[in-house]
Amino acid sequence: GFPAVLKPISGAASLGVKKVVDMEDLKSAYQEVIEELRSLVVSSGALVKNDGTGTGVNANQVMDCTILMEQYLDGDEVDIDVVMSGGEWRYAAVADNGPTLEPY
């Protein structure tokens, strides 16, 4: 149902994240997310927008660009950060996001 959030299953910094409120919005946002993902590169280990310099590797060559749709939840938000290495995770931090602009 709606509202919902579209987002890539791989990513960072809210790149490709869109709030949708109905089916028409979903169709439009999906196309926008696909185009945004096509504009991303991985450079020095970070996911960034392609700046045209030719540095970095196209993101769709090194990460899963599958799009997820999930229920939109309004309210307080916290981040729980972990560090992954060799298939193992370690707790890093919990942070209060504070007020943010939709859909982030």
Side-chain angles (χ1 to χ4, degrees):
F2 296 100
V5 176
L6 286 182
K7 65 182 185 179
I9 62 169
S10 301
S14 298
L15 294 170
V17 176
K18 303 278 183 194
K19 179 182 177 186
V20 295
V21 296
D22 58 31
M23 186 57 73
E24 197 64 30
D25 200 20
L26 171 63
K27 292 175 185 177
S28 172
Y30 180 81
Q31 289 304 315
E32 290 174 24
V33 170
I34 294 299
E35 289 303 314
E36 184 169 6
L37 291 176
R38 288 181 181 151
S39 75
L40 300 177
V41 296
V42 177
S43 180
S44 298
L47 188 61
V48 297
K49 292 194 179 204
N50 187 343
D51 62 7
T53 62
T55 59
V57 177
N58 288 337
N60 62 357
Q61 294 177 343
V62 294
M63 66 180 241
D64 187 345
C65 289
T66 301
I67 308 297
L68 170 72
M69 182 172 131
E70 62 185 17
Q71 180 183 3
Y72 174 79
L73 299 174
D74 194 17
D76 296 336
E77 179 181 349
V78 296
D79 287 332
I80 301 173
D81 295 324
V82 297
V83 175
M84 296 289 297
S85 178
E88 299 288 324
W89 66 270
R90 296 279 182 218
Y91 163 81
V94 174
D96 183 357
N97 267 355
T100 57
L101 299 175
E102 287 187 6
Y104 316 114

